mmCIF file of all heavy atoms in Angstrom:
data_model
loop_
_atom_site.group_PDB
_atom_site.id
_atom_site.type_symbol
_atom_site.label_atom_id
_atom_site.label_comp_id
_atom_site.label_asym_id
_atom_site.label_seq_id
_atom_site.Cartn_x
_atom_site.Cartn_y
_atom_site.Cartn_z
ATOM 1 N N MET A 47 12.670 9.795 -4.720
ATOM 2 C CA MET A 47 12.411 9.894 -3.283
ATOM 3 C C MET A 47 13.349 9.015 -2.458
ATOM 4 O O MET A 47 13.671 9.336 -1.328
ATOM 5 C CB MET A 47 10.963 9.524 -2.962
ATOM 6 C CG MET A 47 9.923 10.379 -3.672
ATOM 7 S SD MET A 47 10.089 12.151 -3.440
ATOM 8 C CE MET A 47 9.764 12.300 -1.712
ATOM 9 N N GLU A 48 13.751 7.876 -2.994
ATOM 10 C CA GLU A 48 14.547 6.929 -2.213
ATOM 11 C C GLU A 48 16.023 6.951 -2.567
ATOM 12 O O GLU A 48 16.749 6.004 -2.246
ATOM 13 C CB GLU A 48 13.963 5.517 -2.360
ATOM 14 C CG GLU A 48 12.586 5.406 -1.734
ATOM 15 C CD GLU A 48 11.998 4.011 -1.779
ATOM 16 O OE1 GLU A 48 12.543 3.134 -2.476
ATOM 17 O OE2 GLU A 48 10.982 3.801 -1.092
ATOM 18 N N GLN A 49 16.483 8.040 -3.184
ATOM 19 C CA GLN A 49 17.910 8.120 -3.497
ATOM 20 C C GLN A 49 18.722 8.208 -2.203
ATOM 21 O O GLN A 49 18.190 8.538 -1.155
ATOM 22 C CB GLN A 49 18.186 9.306 -4.413
ATOM 23 C CG GLN A 49 17.942 10.649 -3.778
ATOM 24 C CD GLN A 49 18.136 11.767 -4.779
ATOM 25 O OE1 GLN A 49 18.452 11.551 -5.930
ATOM 26 N NE2 GLN A 49 17.932 12.983 -4.336
ATOM 27 N N LYS A 50 19.993 7.927 -2.290
ATOM 28 C CA LYS A 50 20.852 7.936 -1.106
ATOM 29 C C LYS A 50 21.366 9.341 -0.809
ATOM 30 O O LYS A 50 21.651 10.109 -1.716
ATOM 31 C CB LYS A 50 22.027 6.985 -1.298
ATOM 32 C CG LYS A 50 21.562 5.552 -1.359
ATOM 33 C CD LYS A 50 22.696 4.586 -1.471
ATOM 34 C CE LYS A 50 22.060 3.231 -1.645
ATOM 35 N NZ LYS A 50 22.772 2.148 -1.238
ATOM 36 N N TYR A 51 21.460 9.635 0.474
ATOM 37 C CA TYR A 51 21.980 10.911 0.956
ATOM 38 C C TYR A 51 23.081 10.622 1.960
ATOM 39 O O TYR A 51 23.025 9.632 2.688
ATOM 40 C CB TYR A 51 20.876 11.725 1.648
ATOM 41 C CG TYR A 51 19.791 12.158 0.712
ATOM 42 C CD1 TYR A 51 18.681 11.361 0.486
ATOM 43 C CD2 TYR A 51 19.897 13.359 0.027
ATOM 44 C CE1 TYR A 51 17.693 11.757 -0.392
ATOM 45 C CE2 TYR A 51 18.901 13.757 -0.854
ATOM 46 C CZ TYR A 51 17.805 12.951 -1.054
ATOM 47 O OH TYR A 51 16.831 13.344 -1.922
ATOM 48 N N THR A 52 24.075 11.498 2.013
ATOM 49 C CA THR A 52 25.134 11.368 3.005
ATOM 50 C C THR A 52 24.861 12.370 4.120
ATOM 51 O O THR A 52 24.763 13.571 3.888
ATOM 52 C CB THR A 52 26.515 11.631 2.381
ATOM 53 O OG1 THR A 52 26.708 10.698 1.317
ATOM 54 C CG2 THR A 52 27.618 11.462 3.415
ATOM 55 N N ILE A 53 24.699 11.836 5.317
ATOM 56 C CA ILE A 53 24.400 12.654 6.493
ATOM 57 C C ILE A 53 25.449 12.337 7.545
ATOM 58 O O ILE A 53 25.599 11.191 7.957
ATOM 59 C CB ILE A 53 22.989 12.353 7.031
ATOM 60 C CG1 ILE A 53 21.950 12.641 5.944
ATOM 61 C CG2 ILE A 53 22.712 13.169 8.292
ATOM 62 C CD1 ILE A 53 20.565 12.162 6.278
ATOM 63 N N ASN A 54 26.195 13.359 7.944
ATOM 64 C CA ASN A 54 27.278 13.184 8.918
ATOM 65 C C ASN A 54 28.236 12.073 8.499
ATOM 66 O O ASN A 54 28.671 11.264 9.314
ATOM 67 C CB ASN A 54 26.714 12.899 10.311
ATOM 68 C CG ASN A 54 25.992 14.090 10.886
ATOM 69 O OD1 ASN A 54 26.306 15.227 10.568
ATOM 70 N ND2 ASN A 54 25.007 13.836 11.722
ATOM 71 N N GLY A 55 28.541 12.016 7.211
ATOM 72 C CA GLY A 55 29.496 11.048 6.692
ATOM 73 C C GLY A 55 28.944 9.643 6.514
ATOM 74 O O GLY A 55 29.674 8.734 6.144
ATOM 75 N N ILE A 56 27.657 9.449 6.767
ATOM 76 C CA ILE A 56 27.044 8.127 6.632
ATOM 77 C C ILE A 56 26.020 8.174 5.504
ATOM 78 O O ILE A 56 25.157 9.037 5.475
ATOM 79 C CB ILE A 56 26.351 7.703 7.955
ATOM 80 C CG1 ILE A 56 27.365 7.667 9.090
ATOM 81 C CG2 ILE A 56 25.673 6.344 7.793
ATOM 82 C CD1 ILE A 56 26.740 7.516 10.464
ATOM 83 N N GLU A 57 26.135 7.227 4.578
ATOM 84 C CA GLU A 57 25.201 7.173 3.463
ATOM 85 C C GLU A 57 23.907 6.506 3.914
ATOM 86 O O GLU A 57 23.927 5.435 4.515
ATOM 87 C CB GLU A 57 25.815 6.395 2.300
ATOM 88 C CG GLU A 57 25.060 6.568 1.012
ATOM 89 C CD GLU A 57 25.776 5.947 -0.159
ATOM 90 O OE1 GLU A 57 25.697 4.713 -0.300
ATOM 91 O OE2 GLU A 57 26.414 6.698 -0.922
ATOM 92 N N ARG A 58 22.791 7.170 3.647
ATOM 93 C CA ARG A 58 21.482 6.674 4.068
ATOM 94 C C ARG A 58 20.488 6.791 2.912
ATOM 95 O O ARG A 58 20.606 7.677 2.079
ATOM 96 C CB ARG A 58 20.921 7.526 5.211
ATOM 97 C CG ARG A 58 21.789 7.615 6.400
ATOM 98 C CD ARG A 58 21.206 6.776 7.494
ATOM 99 N NE ARG A 58 21.928 7.075 8.725
ATOM 100 C CZ ARG A 58 22.399 6.159 9.501
ATOM 101 N NH1 ARG A 58 22.224 4.906 9.217
ATOM 102 N NH2 ARG A 58 23.036 6.474 10.597
ATOM 103 N N SER A 59 19.528 5.900 2.906
ATOM 104 C CA SER A 59 18.377 6.059 2.020
ATOM 105 C C SER A 59 17.139 5.932 2.894
ATOM 106 O O SER A 59 17.175 5.316 3.961
ATOM 107 C CB SER A 59 18.382 5.014 0.905
ATOM 108 O OG SER A 59 18.256 3.722 1.444
ATOM 109 N N PHE A 60 16.068 6.542 2.456
ATOM 110 C CA PHE A 60 14.850 6.570 3.238
ATOM 111 C C PHE A 60 13.722 5.966 2.424
ATOM 112 O O PHE A 60 13.447 6.427 1.312
ATOM 113 C CB PHE A 60 14.515 8.012 3.635
ATOM 114 C CG PHE A 60 15.590 8.647 4.460
ATOM 115 C CD1 PHE A 60 16.602 9.374 3.860
ATOM 116 C CD2 PHE A 60 15.612 8.490 5.828
ATOM 117 C CE1 PHE A 60 17.622 9.944 4.615
ATOM 118 C CE2 PHE A 60 16.623 9.047 6.591
ATOM 119 C CZ PHE A 60 17.626 9.777 5.988
ATOM 120 N N PRO A 61 13.063 4.953 2.950
ATOM 121 C CA PRO A 61 11.958 4.346 2.198
ATOM 122 C C PRO A 61 10.781 5.307 2.100
ATOM 123 O O PRO A 61 10.556 6.128 2.987
ATOM 124 C CB PRO A 61 11.596 3.111 3.033
ATOM 125 C CG PRO A 61 12.057 3.429 4.419
ATOM 126 C CD PRO A 61 13.258 4.325 4.255
ATOM 127 N N ALA A 62 10.053 5.208 1.022
ATOM 128 C CA ALA A 62 8.864 6.043 0.823
ATOM 129 C C ALA A 62 7.691 5.124 0.495
ATOM 130 O O ALA A 62 7.871 4.034 -0.046
ATOM 131 C CB ALA A 62 9.104 7.035 -0.308
ATOM 132 N N GLU A 63 6.513 5.561 0.852
ATOM 133 C CA GLU A 63 5.297 4.808 0.573
ATOM 134 C C GLU A 63 4.590 5.470 -0.601
ATOM 135 O O GLU A 63 4.492 6.694 -0.662
ATOM 136 C CB GLU A 63 4.397 4.839 1.805
ATOM 137 C CG GLU A 63 3.113 4.079 1.642
ATOM 138 C CD GLU A 63 2.259 4.150 2.893
ATOM 139 O OE1 GLU A 63 2.805 4.112 4.004
ATOM 140 O OE2 GLU A 63 1.036 4.279 2.731
ATOM 141 N N PHE A 64 4.087 4.654 -1.528
ATOM 142 C CA PHE A 64 3.432 5.172 -2.717
ATOM 143 C C PHE A 64 2.046 4.579 -2.845
ATOM 144 O O PHE A 64 1.852 3.393 -2.602
ATOM 145 C CB PHE A 64 4.252 4.829 -3.969
ATOM 146 C CG PHE A 64 5.636 5.382 -3.922
ATOM 147 C CD1 PHE A 64 6.674 4.668 -3.363
ATOM 148 C CD2 PHE A 64 5.883 6.642 -4.421
ATOM 149 C CE1 PHE A 64 7.942 5.187 -3.291
ATOM 150 C CE2 PHE A 64 7.169 7.172 -4.360
ATOM 151 C CZ PHE A 64 8.190 6.453 -3.796
ATOM 152 N N LYS A 65 1.114 5.416 -3.213
ATOM 153 C CA LYS A 65 -0.253 4.974 -3.463
ATOM 154 C C LYS A 65 -0.684 5.537 -4.801
ATOM 155 O O LYS A 65 -0.301 6.643 -5.166
ATOM 156 C CB LYS A 65 -1.196 5.488 -2.374
ATOM 157 C CG LYS A 65 -0.910 4.921 -1.007
ATOM 158 C CD LYS A 65 -1.887 5.478 -0.003
ATOM 159 C CE LYS A 65 -1.559 4.973 1.387
ATOM 160 N NZ LYS A 65 -2.515 5.487 2.365
ATOM 161 N N VAL A 66 -1.489 4.767 -5.500
ATOM 162 C CA VAL A 66 -2.039 5.207 -6.766
ATOM 163 C C VAL A 66 -3.550 5.139 -6.636
ATOM 164 O O VAL A 66 -4.099 4.144 -6.175
ATOM 165 C CB VAL A 66 -1.551 4.313 -7.938
ATOM 166 C CG1 VAL A 66 -2.215 4.715 -9.239
ATOM 167 C CG2 VAL A 66 -0.035 4.373 -8.052
ATOM 168 N N GLY A 67 -4.218 6.210 -7.011
ATOM 169 C CA GLY A 67 -5.673 6.237 -6.937
ATOM 170 C C GLY A 67 -6.239 7.260 -7.884
ATOM 171 O O GLY A 67 -5.504 8.004 -8.542
ATOM 172 N N THR A 68 -7.561 7.307 -7.938
ATOM 173 C CA THR A 68 -8.212 8.248 -8.843
ATOM 174 C C THR A 68 -8.347 9.628 -8.232
ATOM 175 O O THR A 68 -8.558 10.606 -8.953
ATOM 176 C CB THR A 68 -9.601 7.740 -9.267
ATOM 177 O OG1 THR A 68 -10.375 7.503 -8.091
ATOM 178 C CG2 THR A 68 -9.483 6.459 -10.076
ATOM 179 N N ASN A 69 -8.239 9.717 -6.893
ATOM 180 C CA ASN A 69 -8.274 11.012 -6.227
ATOM 181 C C ASN A 69 -7.622 10.887 -4.856
ATOM 182 O O ASN A 69 -7.434 9.787 -4.336
ATOM 183 C CB ASN A 69 -9.702 11.568 -6.118
ATOM 184 C CG ASN A 69 -10.608 10.656 -5.330
ATOM 185 O OD1 ASN A 69 -10.369 10.376 -4.162
ATOM 186 N ND2 ASN A 69 -11.665 10.185 -5.972
ATOM 187 N N TRP A 70 -7.283 12.011 -4.276
ATOM 188 C CA TRP A 70 -6.570 12.034 -3.003
ATOM 189 C C TRP A 70 -7.433 11.468 -1.883
ATOM 190 O O TRP A 70 -6.980 10.739 -1.021
ATOM 191 C CB TRP A 70 -6.118 13.454 -2.691
ATOM 192 C CG TRP A 70 -5.047 13.560 -1.654
ATOM 193 C CD1 TRP A 70 -4.453 12.541 -0.956
ATOM 194 C CD2 TRP A 70 -4.422 14.744 -1.204
ATOM 195 N NE1 TRP A 70 -3.506 13.035 -0.116
ATOM 196 C CE2 TRP A 70 -3.466 14.396 -0.240
ATOM 197 C CE3 TRP A 70 -4.575 16.084 -1.520
ATOM 198 C CZ2 TRP A 70 -2.686 15.322 0.415
ATOM 199 C CZ3 TRP A 70 -3.776 16.997 -0.862
ATOM 200 C CH2 TRP A 70 -2.848 16.623 0.089
ATOM 201 N N TYR A 71 -8.702 11.790 -1.891
ATOM 202 C CA TYR A 71 -9.609 11.309 -0.855
ATOM 203 C C TYR A 71 -9.629 9.786 -0.819
ATOM 204 O O TYR A 71 -9.587 9.181 0.247
ATOM 205 C CB TYR A 71 -11.026 11.861 -1.086
ATOM 206 C CG TYR A 71 -11.995 11.434 -0.020
ATOM 207 C CD1 TYR A 71 -11.948 12.006 1.255
ATOM 208 C CD2 TYR A 71 -12.944 10.452 -0.266
ATOM 209 C CE1 TYR A 71 -12.819 11.612 2.240
ATOM 210 C CE2 TYR A 71 -13.822 10.053 0.718
ATOM 211 C CZ TYR A 71 -13.761 10.634 1.968
ATOM 212 O OH TYR A 71 -14.617 10.232 2.947
#
C-alpha cells in the first residue's frame, strides 16, 4: 500500500492506516 509512485515526474508515497481486529465491526 505504501510503495512509491511517480506522478507528474514526482515520486510520492502515501501513508496508509492499518487496523487488526476479530471483525470489521
Side-chain angles (χ1 to χ4, degrees):
M47 302 306 295
E48 294 183 349
Q49 66 184 0
K50 293 183 185 206
Y51 294 90
T52 302
I53 301 170
N54 292 332
I56 301 169
E57 194 172 79
R58 303 254 191 229
S59 63
F60 300 92
E63 181 180 322
F64 301 89
K65 295 180 183 181
V66 176
T68 56
N69 60 60
W70 197 359
Y71 182 74

